[in-house]
Each structure stands twice: as C-alpha cells, then as structure tokens.
Amino acid sequence: MSGRVKRWQSHLPALRRDPVLLAMIAWTLLAIVLFVAFAGHTHWQVRVFWLFQPPLDALLAYHAWRSSRLATGAIRRFWLVLAAAGTMFTIGDSYQGALTVLDPHRQSATGGDVQTAFFGTGLTAVVLAMLLHPHPGRTGRDRLAFWLDAVTVLVGGAVVAWCFATTPGDSGAADVAGTLLAGGVLLSGTFAAIKMILSGNAPMDKVAALPMMSSAVAMSLGIYLANYAHTALAPLVFAVAFLPSPLIAVGPRIQLIVAQIAPVPFGERRRKPYSLLPYGSMAVAFGTLVVVLPAGDTASVWGAVLGLGVICALVAGRQLVAFHDNIRLIRQLRDHETRLRHQALFDGLTGLANRTHFHEQVTAALAGTGPVSLLLIDLDGFKSVNDTRGHAAGDALLCEVADRLRE
C-alpha cells in the first residue's frame, strides 16, 4: 500500500465527521436544489447565487487565518494572504448580494464593478502569493524556467478563453480582455498551485490543496457556460459558477483537520526536477485549434494560431534553459569522474601512481608482444625516520623523493 493511500485513509475518518465540512456540503447542496427549483426564474437564481456565497467566503477567511497561526515564515505569509483574499471575497459578494436584493434592476450573475474589483484583487493576490512562494535551492536559472512555464500556461488559458468563452465580434473590448485575463489567471493559478505542491516547500497538504485547485477548473468551466445562462441549462450554469466558492472554502478547513493528525502539518518536502505542464498547455492550445479550425478564417482560429505560436516559442526558450542545465550537469559529472579516477589511481600524499595504477600498467605491458623491464627502488631506513622524527617528517621525506623521481 502506497504512502499516499495510507495518508488518505488516515485523514478520511476525521474529514467525514467534521461538522463544519458537513455543514458546508449541505449549504452547497441546498443552493443547487434552489437553482433547480427556481428554473425559469433567473432573478431568484441570481439572488440565491449571491446570498449563498458570503458565508462560505467568511469561512475561507476565518480558517485561513487560523491556519496562519500554525505556521511561520513564508508559509504564514501565504495563509495571511489567503485570509485577506477571503475577506475581500466576503465584502465583494456581500455587497453584490445586498445590491441584488435591494435593486433588482441591477441584478447580474457576473457581478458588478465593486464585486469584480474585490474578487479580482483577492484572486490575483492569491495567485501571486503562490507564484512568489519561495522554493528551496532554486537558482536564477530555475526561477527563469519557472516563470517561462507560468507564462506558457497563462497563454494557454487565454487561448481557451478566446476561442470558447468570448465572441470577439459581439463583445466589447473590455469584456473580451476581462474574459481572457480571467481564463489566463485561473489556469495560471492552477499551475502555480501544482508547482508549489511539487516544489518541496508547499504551504499546505495535498489533501487540502486538491479541492482548491479543482475550483480553478470549475471557474474555467463556468466562464465557458456563462453563454448559456438564459437557456434551459441555467440551473447547471449557476451550479457550476457557484461551485468554486465551497471548493476554495473547504481547503483551509481541511488543512486545520490535517494539522491535528499529520506529523508534518503542511506540504511534503518532495521536489520534481521537471515540469510537464507547459507541454500540457501546448496540447490544450493545439486541441483548441483543431476544434475551431473547421470554422474557417475567423478571429478564433487566428487567436489560437497566435497563442500556439507564442507557446511554442516559450517552450523552446524553456528547452534552451534545460539544455544549459544539462550541459552544466554533464560537465560537473565529468569533473567528478576525473577526480574519482585520480583518487583511485594516484597516491594522495605524493601524487605518484599507486598500487592499483601499477597493476593496470603491468597488466597492459605483459599483454603486449615486446620485452618488459621492471625497476624496483627501495627507500632504506625509512622506518627509523618515522620512529625518530615522527610521521610528519616521514611524509615530507616521501614527498621529496617523489619530486626527485618526477624530475
């Protein structure tokens, strides 16, 4: 049984019994039931959508703050940023919920300027906190590779958002830019979370990080389904758009539960020397191009082509960094091999060939066809030097004899 399975089995009983997690799940299911019950009444679905989010946002802020009290250093800063982001989500969603109830004419499933500002600021702060979280043993070249990977994934998210979540001909420039930024930031957040977990210095356990990373996927799907908000799929659209709130909120609560069970309360110190995410971003962009290509010469096709070209250039740059790292590693291995061979064949004190080297040379000479001569030189009275003058004097004598032999 793997360590990962054992860890899950040790956490599951406590997670299943936690009343706060059960209450959050029940709250989410109730919202979904109301979305279905109010099918055809969009204004009521919008009210449920905004009124059910502030309690989850408040729990996110509170549990993130409690998690910060268990940590120190960079990990504590990360949880404080998450607590501040949860506070921003609470303020923005509460304002939008009150506006939805008090002024029905200003109802919006996508949020107003105030809610968008608070949400965007909080989400950007969390993504930056993950991207800037320190990693052990990272060199300047490693940091360059990391940011190349991050930009690659950002462009991949923008390509998907451009092709599936926007209608360039029918949407304003601000809406298109906002959708592209949202898609890129969400995918970059997922990338940052995964890299942070694999870096060896993660500020949370994988069990707590999994639902929070899943929220980015739900957000991306919600951006795509937003175009169907006024169709028969409206309950599904609202449910998917609402799902990121509980997924993000349960992460800090799970972290608190894990901290009471696990000997290491935060992430494992395990680091992978490679990243497959940029290649996944390239595959996503290529798949997007294949999907939109039958539409002909459209803005979506050219956007996908441009995005794929940028991704290929970034991946090529990433490979150049990797090649330089490989060359440096090969040189280090060769130097290490040379040092080991010298240590194995030469005496450390005198620098002359040792017995192992002597046997190699004699074996090679005897294997030949020509005559072989062997000269034996003995150093008379050497033991008395060690006994009367000490080993330091004996070492000095050996070094002097070795120098004379070399001359």
Side-chain angles (χ1 to χ4, degrees):
M1 184 180 297
S2 66
R4 182 179 303 177
V5 175
K6 291 181 179 179
R7 186 169 60 253
W8 269 102
Q9 289 183 346
S10 63
H11 295 162
L12 277 177
L15 297 178
R16 290 172 178 172
R17 294 191 302 266
D18 184 66
V20 177
L21 287 179
L22 294 176
M24 296 170 73
I25 294 173
W27 186 257
T28 304
L29 293 177
L30 177 59
I32 295 175
V33 169
L34 291 177
F35 290 144
V36 176
F38 291 128
H41 302 279
T42 305
H43 60 286
W44 282 106
Q45 289 175 323
V46 172
R47 289 179 179 178
V48 171
F49 180 79
W50 290 115
L51 293 177
F52 271 63
Q53 292 200 52
L56 296 173
D57 299 333
L59 288 175
L60 166 65
Y62 173 68
H63 291 135
W65 173 75
R66 287 189 58 189
S67 296
S68 70
R69 301 183 64 184
L70 302 176
T72 58
I75 296 178
R76 178 181 175 84
R77 288 194 298 271
F78 169 80
W79 284 106
L80 287 175
V81 170
L82 188 58
T87 303
M88 293 182 183
F89 296 163
T90 304
I91 296 173
D93 291 344
S94 298
Y95 175 85
Q96 189 64 30
L99 188 66
T100 300
V101 174
L102 299 176
D103 191 357
H105 298 288
R106 297 178 64 182
Q107 283 189 356
S108 173
T110 58
D113 294 337
V114 175
Q115 190 275 337
T116 301
F118 276 99
F119 178 78
T121 303
L123 181 61
T124 303
V126 174
V127 173
L128 289 177
M130 290 189 292
L131 288 173
L132 299 176
H133 187 72
H135 301 269
R138 172 170 289 181
T139 63
R141 206 180 297 271
D142 293 335
R143 287 191 292 271
L144 175 61
F146 176 82
W147 284 106
L148 286 174
D149 291 347
V151 176
T152 302
V153 178
L154 176 67
V155 175
V159 168
V160 175
W162 172 263
C163 294
F164 298 122
T166 63
T167 308
D170 301 331
S171 303
D175 294 335
V176 173
T179 303
L180 292 178
L181 181 61
V185 168
L186 291 175
L187 200 55
S188 296
T190 306
F191 160 80
I194 295 174
K195 289 290 289 185
M196 189 173 57
I197 294 298
L198 299 180
S199 67
N201 192 33
M204 66 179 69
D205 191 273
K206 291 180 183 179
V207 181
L210 183 60
M212 301 185 73
M213 289 188 291
S214 302
S215 68
V217 179
M219 287 183 187
S220 302
L221 184 59
I223 293 175
Y224 171 72
L225 292 177
N227 297 325
Y228 302 93
H230 299 286
T231 66
L233 296 176
L236 175 62
V237 174
F238 279 102
V240 173
F242 179 79
L243 195 58
S245 292
L247 287 175
I248 295 177
V250 300
R253 180 61 188 179
I254 293 176
Q255 181 61 58
L256 287 175
I257 298 173
V258 171
Q260 299 173 1
I261 302 173
V264 179
F266 297 100
E268 295 178 344
R269 295 188 174 272
R270 184 176 63 87
R271 183 179 182 181
K272 285 189 176 181
Y274 58 89
S275 174
L276 299 178
L277 291 176
Y279 304 101
S281 181
M282 179 183 291
V284 168
F286 183 79
T288 302
L289 177 61
V290 171
V291 172
V292 300
L293 195 58
D297 188 6
T298 63
S300 296
V301 173
W302 283 108
V305 171
L306 177 61
L308 186 58
V310 173
I311 290 174
C312 290
L314 291 170
V315 171
R318 178 68 171 84
Q319 286 299 317
L320 288 176
V321 175
F323 289 153
H324 283 291
D325 289 339
N326 292 338
I327 292 174
R328 182 182 59 183
L329 179 60
I330 290 173
R331 288 174 178 172
Q332 292 175 351
L333 291 176
R334 287 177 176 174
D335 293 341
H336 185 61
E337 180 183 2
T338 301
R339 288 194 300 269
L340 290 178
R341 180 166 179 80
H342 187 273
Q343 292 173 3
L345 299 180
F346 292 87
D347 180 68
L349 176 64
T350 63
L352 296 178
N354 60 14
R355 183 174 299 179
T356 301
H357 199 173
F358 167 75
H359 282 297
E360 288 186 0
Q361 295 294 325
V362 170
T363 301
L366 293 178
T369 58
V372 177
S373 299
L374 179 63
L375 177 65
L376 176 62
I377 301 176
D378 188 21
L379 193 58
D380 292 335
F382 176 70
K383 185 177 182 302
S384 63
V385 176
N386 275 334
D387 294 339
T388 58
R389 302 283 185 174
H391 290 284
D395 292 343
L397 176 59
L398 289 176
C399 292
E400 179 63 26
V401 172
D403 290 339
R404 293 189 181 187
L405 288 175
R406 271 188 291 265
E407 290 174 359

